[in-house]
Short mmCIF file of all heavy atoms in Angstrom, two decimals:
data_model
loop_
_atom_site.label_atom_id
_atom_site.label_comp_id
_atom_site.label_asym_id
_atom_site.label_seq_id
_atom_site.Cartn_x
_atom_site.Cartn_y
_atom_site.Cartn_z
N GLY A 1451 0.78 -1.23 0.00
CA GLY A 1451 0.00 0.00 0.00
C GLY A 1451 0.81 1.27 0.00
O GLY A 1451 0.24 2.36 -0.12
N ARG A 1452 2.15 1.19 0.13
CA ARG A 1452 2.96 2.40 0.13
C ARG A 1452 3.42 2.72 -1.28
O ARG A 1452 3.71 1.82 -2.09
CB ARG A 1452 4.21 2.22 1.01
CG ARG A 1452 3.93 2.17 2.50
CD ARG A 1452 3.37 3.48 3.03
NE ARG A 1452 4.23 4.62 2.81
CZ ARG A 1452 5.18 5.02 3.67
NH1 ARG A 1452 5.40 4.35 4.77
NH2 ARG A 1452 5.91 6.09 3.41
N ASN A 1453 3.50 4.01 -1.59
CA ASN A 1453 4.07 4.47 -2.86
C ASN A 1453 5.59 4.51 -2.71
O ASN A 1453 6.14 5.41 -2.07
CB ASN A 1453 3.53 5.86 -3.20
CG ASN A 1453 4.09 6.38 -4.51
OD1 ASN A 1453 4.91 5.74 -5.16
ND2 ASN A 1453 3.65 7.57 -4.90
N LEU A 1454 6.26 3.55 -3.31
CA LEU A 1454 7.70 3.42 -3.12
C LEU A 1454 8.47 4.56 -3.77
O LEU A 1454 9.64 4.78 -3.43
CB LEU A 1454 8.18 2.08 -3.67
CG LEU A 1454 7.53 0.85 -3.02
CD1 LEU A 1454 8.14 -0.43 -3.56
CD2 LEU A 1454 7.65 0.90 -1.51
N GLU A 1455 7.85 5.30 -4.68
CA GLU A 1455 8.52 6.45 -5.27
C GLU A 1455 8.72 7.56 -4.24
O GLU A 1455 9.60 8.41 -4.40
CB GLU A 1455 7.72 6.99 -6.46
CG GLU A 1455 7.76 6.08 -7.68
CD GLU A 1455 9.18 5.89 -8.20
OE1 GLU A 1455 9.91 6.90 -8.28
OE2 GLU A 1455 9.56 4.75 -8.50
N GLU A 1456 7.93 7.56 -3.18
CA GLU A 1456 8.08 8.56 -2.13
C GLU A 1456 9.24 8.25 -1.20
O GLU A 1456 9.75 9.15 -0.52
CB GLU A 1456 6.78 8.68 -1.32
CG GLU A 1456 5.58 9.16 -2.12
CD GLU A 1456 4.32 9.18 -1.28
OE1 GLU A 1456 4.36 8.70 -0.13
OE2 GLU A 1456 3.29 9.69 -1.77
N ILE A 1457 9.63 7.00 -1.12
CA ILE A 1457 10.69 6.57 -0.21
C ILE A 1457 11.66 5.64 -0.93
O ILE A 1457 11.83 4.48 -0.53
CB ILE A 1457 10.10 5.90 1.04
CG1 ILE A 1457 8.99 4.90 0.65
CG2 ILE A 1457 9.57 6.91 2.03
CD1 ILE A 1457 8.49 4.07 1.81
N PRO A 1458 12.31 6.11 -1.98
CA PRO A 1458 13.16 5.21 -2.78
C PRO A 1458 14.41 4.78 -2.03
O PRO A 1458 15.12 5.61 -1.43
CB PRO A 1458 13.50 6.06 -4.01
CG PRO A 1458 13.39 7.47 -3.53
CD PRO A 1458 12.30 7.48 -2.51
N HIS A 1459 14.66 3.50 -2.06
CA HIS A 1459 15.89 2.88 -1.56
C HIS A 1459 16.09 1.61 -2.37
O HIS A 1459 15.12 0.97 -2.80
CB HIS A 1459 15.77 2.49 -0.07
CG HIS A 1459 15.74 3.64 0.87
ND1 HIS A 1459 16.88 4.22 1.39
CD2 HIS A 1459 14.70 4.33 1.41
CE1 HIS A 1459 16.54 5.21 2.20
NE2 HIS A 1459 15.22 5.29 2.23
N PRO A 1460 17.33 1.17 -2.56
CA PRO A 1460 17.54 -0.12 -3.22
C PRO A 1460 17.17 -1.25 -2.27
O PRO A 1460 17.62 -1.27 -1.12
CB PRO A 1460 19.04 -0.11 -3.53
CG PRO A 1460 19.64 0.81 -2.52
CD PRO A 1460 18.59 1.84 -2.21
N PHE A 1461 16.35 -2.18 -2.70
CA PHE A 1461 16.01 -3.32 -1.86
C PHE A 1461 17.23 -4.22 -1.69
O PHE A 1461 18.03 -4.39 -2.61
CB PHE A 1461 14.85 -4.11 -2.47
CG PHE A 1461 13.58 -3.33 -2.57
CD1 PHE A 1461 13.05 -2.99 -3.81
CD2 PHE A 1461 12.90 -2.93 -1.43
CE1 PHE A 1461 11.88 -2.26 -3.90
CE2 PHE A 1461 11.73 -2.20 -1.51
CZ PHE A 1461 11.21 -1.86 -2.75
N VAL A 1462 17.34 -4.81 -0.51
CA VAL A 1462 18.46 -5.71 -0.25
C VAL A 1462 18.50 -6.83 -1.30
O VAL A 1462 19.57 -7.18 -1.81
CB VAL A 1462 18.37 -6.30 1.17
CG1 VAL A 1462 19.37 -7.44 1.36
CG2 VAL A 1462 18.60 -5.21 2.21
N VAL A 1463 17.34 -7.37 -1.63
CA VAL A 1463 17.33 -8.47 -2.61
C VAL A 1463 17.85 -8.00 -3.96
O VAL A 1463 18.49 -8.77 -4.69
CB VAL A 1463 15.91 -9.07 -2.75
CG1 VAL A 1463 15.51 -9.82 -1.47
CG2 VAL A 1463 14.87 -8.00 -3.10
N GLU A 1464 17.59 -6.74 -4.32
CA GLU A 1464 18.11 -6.20 -5.58
C GLU A 1464 19.63 -6.03 -5.52
O GLU A 1464 20.34 -6.34 -6.47
CB GLU A 1464 17.46 -4.86 -5.88
CG GLU A 1464 15.98 -4.93 -6.18
CD GLU A 1464 15.36 -3.56 -6.38
OE1 GLU A 1464 15.96 -2.55 -5.95
OE2 GLU A 1464 14.26 -3.50 -6.95
N THR A 1465 20.12 -5.51 -4.38
CA THR A 1465 21.55 -5.32 -4.23
C THR A 1465 22.28 -6.66 -4.26
O THR A 1465 23.34 -6.80 -4.88
CB THR A 1465 21.86 -4.57 -2.94
OG1 THR A 1465 21.15 -3.32 -2.93
CG2 THR A 1465 23.34 -4.28 -2.80
N VAL A 1466 21.71 -7.66 -3.58
CA VAL A 1466 22.31 -9.00 -3.58
C VAL A 1466 22.38 -9.54 -5.00
O VAL A 1466 23.40 -10.09 -5.44
CB VAL A 1466 21.53 -9.94 -2.67
CG1 VAL A 1466 21.94 -11.39 -2.88
CG2 VAL A 1466 21.72 -9.54 -1.20
N ARG A 1467 21.30 -9.37 -5.75
CA ARG A 1467 21.27 -9.86 -7.14
C ARG A 1467 22.32 -9.13 -7.99
O ARG A 1467 23.00 -9.74 -8.81
CB ARG A 1467 19.87 -9.64 -7.71
CG ARG A 1467 19.65 -10.28 -9.08
CD ARG A 1467 18.24 -10.03 -9.59
NE ARG A 1467 17.24 -10.38 -8.60
CZ ARG A 1467 16.37 -9.53 -8.06
NH1 ARG A 1467 16.38 -8.25 -8.42
NH2 ARG A 1467 15.49 -9.93 -7.17
N ARG A 1468 22.45 -7.85 -7.76
CA ARG A 1468 23.40 -7.05 -8.54
C ARG A 1468 24.85 -7.46 -8.25
O ARG A 1468 25.69 -7.53 -9.16
CB ARG A 1468 23.21 -5.57 -8.21
CG ARG A 1468 24.23 -4.65 -8.87
CD ARG A 1468 24.01 -3.20 -8.48
NE ARG A 1468 25.03 -2.36 -9.08
CZ ARG A 1468 24.79 -1.27 -9.81
NH1 ARG A 1468 23.55 -0.89 -10.05
NH2 ARG A 1468 25.79 -0.56 -10.31
N LEU A 1469 25.14 -7.73 -6.97
CA LEU A 1469 26.52 -7.98 -6.57
C LEU A 1469 26.91 -9.46 -6.60
O LEU A 1469 28.10 -9.79 -6.46
CB LEU A 1469 26.77 -7.42 -5.16
CG LEU A 1469 26.56 -5.91 -5.00
CD1 LEU A 1469 26.86 -5.50 -3.57
CD2 LEU A 1469 27.42 -5.12 -5.99
N ARG A 1470 25.95 -10.34 -6.79
CA ARG A 1470 26.25 -11.77 -6.76
C ARG A 1470 27.35 -12.18 -7.76
O ARG A 1470 28.16 -13.06 -7.46
CB ARG A 1470 24.98 -12.58 -7.02
CG ARG A 1470 25.13 -14.08 -6.71
CD ARG A 1470 23.86 -14.83 -7.04
NE ARG A 1470 22.74 -14.41 -6.22
CZ ARG A 1470 22.48 -14.88 -5.01
NH1 ARG A 1470 23.27 -15.81 -4.48
NH2 ARG A 1470 21.44 -14.47 -4.32
N PRO A 1471 27.42 -11.57 -8.96
CA PRO A 1471 28.47 -11.98 -9.90
C PRO A 1471 29.88 -11.58 -9.49
O PRO A 1471 30.86 -12.04 -10.10
CB PRO A 1471 28.07 -11.27 -11.21
CG PRO A 1471 26.63 -10.95 -11.06
CD PRO A 1471 26.45 -10.66 -9.61
N LEU A 1472 30.03 -10.72 -8.47
CA LEU A 1472 31.36 -10.26 -8.08
C LEU A 1472 32.16 -11.39 -7.44
O LEU A 1472 31.60 -12.34 -6.89
CB LEU A 1472 31.24 -9.11 -7.08
CG LEU A 1472 30.66 -7.79 -7.57
CD1 LEU A 1472 30.62 -6.78 -6.44
CD2 LEU A 1472 31.46 -7.23 -8.74
N PRO A 1473 33.48 -11.28 -7.45
CA PRO A 1473 34.30 -12.26 -6.73
C PRO A 1473 33.93 -12.28 -5.25
O PRO A 1473 33.51 -11.27 -4.68
CB PRO A 1473 35.73 -11.73 -6.95
CG PRO A 1473 35.66 -10.89 -8.17
CD PRO A 1473 34.29 -10.28 -8.18
N ALA A 1474 34.14 -13.41 -4.62
CA ALA A 1474 33.73 -13.60 -3.23
C ALA A 1474 34.38 -12.59 -2.30
O ALA A 1474 33.75 -12.12 -1.34
CB ALA A 1474 34.06 -15.02 -2.78
N ASP A 1475 35.64 -12.23 -2.54
CA ASP A 1475 36.31 -11.31 -1.63
C ASP A 1475 35.68 -9.92 -1.67
O ASP A 1475 35.68 -9.20 -0.66
CB ASP A 1475 37.81 -11.23 -1.94
CG ASP A 1475 38.09 -10.54 -3.25
OD1 ASP A 1475 37.49 -10.92 -4.27
OD2 ASP A 1475 38.92 -9.60 -3.26
N LEU A 1476 35.09 -9.51 -2.80
CA LEU A 1476 34.39 -8.24 -2.87
C LEU A 1476 33.04 -8.32 -2.19
O LEU A 1476 32.62 -7.40 -1.47
CB LEU A 1476 34.22 -7.80 -4.32
CG LEU A 1476 35.48 -7.38 -5.08
CD1 LEU A 1476 35.11 -6.86 -6.46
CD2 LEU A 1476 36.26 -6.32 -4.31
N ARG A 1477 32.32 -9.42 -2.39
CA ARG A 1477 31.01 -9.57 -1.75
C ARG A 1477 31.13 -9.56 -0.23
O ARG A 1477 30.26 -9.03 0.47
CB ARG A 1477 30.33 -10.85 -2.22
CG ARG A 1477 30.00 -10.89 -3.71
CD ARG A 1477 28.98 -11.99 -4.01
NE ARG A 1477 29.37 -13.28 -3.47
CZ ARG A 1477 30.04 -14.22 -4.13
NH1 ARG A 1477 30.41 -13.98 -5.39
NH2 ARG A 1477 30.35 -15.38 -3.57
N ARG A 1478 32.20 -10.15 0.28
CA ARG A 1478 32.37 -10.23 1.73
C ARG A 1478 32.61 -8.87 2.37
O ARG A 1478 32.52 -8.73 3.59
CB ARG A 1478 33.52 -11.17 2.08
CG ARG A 1478 33.18 -12.64 1.93
CD ARG A 1478 34.23 -13.52 2.61
NE ARG A 1478 35.53 -13.43 1.96
CZ ARG A 1478 35.92 -14.25 0.99
NH1 ARG A 1478 35.13 -15.23 0.57
NH2 ARG A 1478 37.12 -14.12 0.45
N ARG A 1479 32.88 -7.86 1.59
CA ARG A 1479 33.09 -6.52 2.13
C ARG A 1479 31.77 -5.81 2.46
O ARG A 1479 31.77 -4.80 3.16
CB ARG A 1479 33.87 -5.68 1.12
CG ARG A 1479 35.22 -6.28 0.79
CD ARG A 1479 35.97 -5.52 -0.29
NE ARG A 1479 37.14 -6.26 -0.73
CZ ARG A 1479 38.08 -5.80 -1.53
NH1 ARG A 1479 37.97 -4.57 -2.03
NH2 ARG A 1479 39.11 -6.55 -1.87
N VAL A 1480 30.66 -6.34 1.97
CA VAL A 1480 29.36 -5.66 2.07
C VAL A 1480 28.67 -5.98 3.39
O VAL A 1480 28.49 -7.16 3.75
CB VAL A 1480 28.46 -6.05 0.89
CG1 VAL A 1480 27.05 -5.49 1.07
CG2 VAL A 1480 29.07 -5.57 -0.42
N LYS A 1481 28.25 -4.91 4.08
CA LYS A 1481 27.43 -5.05 5.28
C LYS A 1481 26.26 -4.08 5.14
O LYS A 1481 26.46 -2.88 4.95
CB LYS A 1481 28.23 -4.74 6.54
CG LYS A 1481 29.39 -5.70 6.78
CD LYS A 1481 29.96 -5.51 8.17
CE LYS A 1481 31.06 -6.54 8.43
NZ LYS A 1481 31.40 -6.62 9.87
N PHE A 1482 25.05 -4.60 5.24
CA PHE A 1482 23.86 -3.76 5.11
C PHE A 1482 23.56 -3.06 6.44
O PHE A 1482 23.77 -3.62 7.52
CB PHE A 1482 22.66 -4.60 4.67
CG PHE A 1482 22.79 -5.14 3.27
CD1 PHE A 1482 23.15 -6.47 3.06
CD2 PHE A 1482 22.57 -4.32 2.18
CE1 PHE A 1482 23.29 -6.97 1.77
CE2 PHE A 1482 22.70 -4.81 0.88
CZ PHE A 1482 23.06 -6.13 0.69
N ILE A 1483 23.04 -1.83 6.32
CA ILE A 1483 22.74 -1.02 7.50
C ILE A 1483 21.54 -0.13 7.20
O ILE A 1483 21.07 -0.06 6.08
CB ILE A 1483 23.98 -0.18 7.90
CG1 ILE A 1483 23.91 0.26 9.37
CG2 ILE A 1483 24.20 0.99 6.94
CD1 ILE A 1483 25.23 0.78 9.91
N HIS A 1484 21.01 0.55 8.25
CA HIS A 1484 19.89 1.50 8.10
C HIS A 1484 18.59 0.76 7.85
O HIS A 1484 17.81 1.09 6.96
CB HIS A 1484 20.20 2.49 6.96
CG HIS A 1484 19.34 3.71 6.94
ND1 HIS A 1484 18.24 3.84 6.11
CD2 HIS A 1484 19.41 4.86 7.64
CE1 HIS A 1484 17.69 5.01 6.28
NE2 HIS A 1484 18.38 5.67 7.21
N PHE A 1485 18.29 -0.25 8.68
CA PHE A 1485 17.12 -1.10 8.48
C PHE A 1485 15.83 -0.43 8.93
O PHE A 1485 15.73 0.06 10.06
CB PHE A 1485 17.29 -2.40 9.27
CG PHE A 1485 18.55 -3.14 8.96
CD1 PHE A 1485 19.49 -3.40 9.95
CD2 PHE A 1485 18.82 -3.58 7.66
CE1 PHE A 1485 20.66 -4.08 9.66
CE2 PHE A 1485 19.99 -4.26 7.37
CZ PHE A 1485 20.92 -4.51 8.37
N ASN A 1486 14.83 -0.47 8.07
CA ASN A 1486 13.49 -0.07 8.47
C ASN A 1486 12.95 -1.09 9.48
O ASN A 1486 13.36 -2.26 9.49
CB ASN A 1486 12.57 0.00 7.25
CG ASN A 1486 11.29 0.74 7.53
OD1 ASN A 1486 11.32 1.89 7.95
ND2 ASN A 1486 10.15 0.10 7.32
N HIS A 1487 12.01 -0.67 10.30
CA HIS A 1487 11.47 -1.58 11.32
C HIS A 1487 10.78 -2.79 10.71
O HIS A 1487 10.62 -3.82 11.39
CB HIS A 1487 10.51 -0.83 12.25
CG HIS A 1487 9.25 -0.37 11.59
ND1 HIS A 1487 8.01 -0.88 11.91
CD2 HIS A 1487 9.02 0.57 10.64
CE1 HIS A 1487 7.08 -0.29 11.19
NE2 HIS A 1487 7.68 0.60 10.40
N THR A 1488 10.39 -2.69 9.45
CA THR A 1488 9.75 -3.82 8.77
C THR A 1488 10.75 -4.81 8.20
O THR A 1488 10.36 -5.89 7.72
CB THR A 1488 8.88 -3.30 7.61
OG1 THR A 1488 9.73 -2.51 6.73
CG2 THR A 1488 7.74 -2.45 8.11
N ASN A 1489 12.04 -4.45 8.20
CA ASN A 1489 13.05 -5.27 7.54
C ASN A 1489 13.31 -6.55 8.34
O ASN A 1489 13.76 -6.47 9.49
CB ASN A 1489 14.34 -4.47 7.38
CG ASN A 1489 15.32 -5.13 6.44
OD1 ASN A 1489 15.47 -6.33 6.41
ND2 ASN A 1489 16.01 -4.30 5.66
N PRO A 1490 13.06 -7.71 7.77
CA PRO A 1490 13.25 -8.95 8.53
C PRO A 1490 14.70 -9.23 8.90
O PRO A 1490 14.94 -10.08 9.76
CB PRO A 1490 12.70 -10.03 7.59
CG PRO A 1490 12.79 -9.44 6.22
CD PRO A 1490 12.56 -7.97 6.40
N LEU A 1491 15.65 -8.52 8.32
CA LEU A 1491 17.05 -8.73 8.71
C LEU A 1491 17.30 -8.31 10.16
O LEU A 1491 18.31 -8.69 10.76
CB LEU A 1491 17.99 -7.97 7.78
CG LEU A 1491 18.09 -8.48 6.34
CD1 LEU A 1491 19.09 -7.65 5.56
CD2 LEU A 1491 18.47 -9.95 6.30
N LEU A 1492 16.37 -7.55 10.74
CA LEU A 1492 16.51 -7.16 12.14
C LEU A 1492 16.33 -8.34 13.10
O LEU A 1492 16.84 -8.32 14.21
CB LEU A 1492 15.48 -6.07 12.49
CG LEU A 1492 15.85 -4.64 12.10
CD1 LEU A 1492 14.64 -3.74 12.23
CD2 LEU A 1492 16.99 -4.13 12.98
N HIS A 1493 15.58 -9.35 12.66
CA HIS A 1493 15.25 -10.41 13.62
C HIS A 1493 15.17 -11.81 13.02
O HIS A 1493 15.08 -12.78 13.77
CB HIS A 1493 13.91 -10.11 14.30
CG HIS A 1493 12.83 -9.71 13.35
ND1 HIS A 1493 12.19 -10.60 12.53
CD2 HIS A 1493 12.29 -8.49 13.07
CE1 HIS A 1493 11.29 -9.96 11.80
NE2 HIS A 1493 11.34 -8.68 12.10
N ALA A 1494 15.23 -11.93 11.69
CA ALA A 1494 15.05 -13.25 11.07
C ALA A 1494 16.40 -13.85 10.73
O ALA A 1494 16.90 -13.69 9.61
CB ALA A 1494 14.16 -13.15 9.83
N SER A 1495 17.01 -14.55 11.68
CA SER A 1495 18.33 -15.13 11.44
C SER A 1495 18.29 -16.19 10.35
O SER A 1495 19.27 -16.39 9.62
CB SER A 1495 18.88 -15.74 12.72
OG SER A 1495 18.00 -16.73 13.22
N SER A 1496 17.15 -16.85 10.20
CA SER A 1496 17.05 -17.87 9.16
C SER A 1496 17.15 -17.24 7.78
O SER A 1496 17.72 -17.82 6.85
CB SER A 1496 15.73 -18.64 9.29
OG SER A 1496 14.62 -17.76 9.15
N LEU A 1497 16.61 -16.04 7.64
CA LEU A 1497 16.68 -15.33 6.36
C LEU A 1497 18.11 -14.94 6.05
O LEU A 1497 18.56 -15.02 4.91
CB LEU A 1497 15.78 -14.10 6.41
CG LEU A 1497 15.53 -13.38 5.09
CD1 LEU A 1497 14.70 -14.25 4.16
CD2 LEU A 1497 14.81 -12.05 5.35
N VAL A 1498 18.82 -14.49 7.07
CA VAL A 1498 20.23 -14.15 6.88
C VAL A 1498 21.00 -15.36 6.37
O VAL A 1498 21.79 -15.28 5.42
CB VAL A 1498 20.85 -13.63 8.19
CG1 VAL A 1498 22.35 -13.42 8.02
CG2 VAL A 1498 20.17 -12.33 8.62
#
């Protein structure tokens, strides 16, 4: 129900898809931050 154009951010799943082709040593440098309260990365260890 939210208009995502009002609050644009790259989705984690999009960033993961974009960076997946990179060598492993580059991917390991990435740490996501600035989580919205709805972001399951805050509490869903299985998703991680």
Side-chain angles (χ1 to χ4, degrees):
R1452 289 296 301 270
N1453 180 359
L1454 301 184
E1455 288 300 315
E1456 296 177 353
I1457 45 173
H1459 290 272
F1461 297 113
V1462 169
V1463 291
E1464 293 176 341
T1465 304
V1466 168
R1467 189 180 309 119
R1468 175 182 178 128
L1469 300 181
R1470 192 182 296 275
L1472 292 180
D1475 70 309
L1476 290 185
R1477 297 197 308 266
R1478 285 194 294 268
R1479 301 175 190 189
V1480 173
K1481 297 191 176 194
F1482 293 102
I1483 201 166
H1484 196 261
F1485 305 119
N1486 195 57
H1487 67 113
T1488 56
N1489 193 321
L1491 291 182
L1492 278 168
H1493 47 74
S1495 58
S1496 61
L1497 190 67
V1498 174

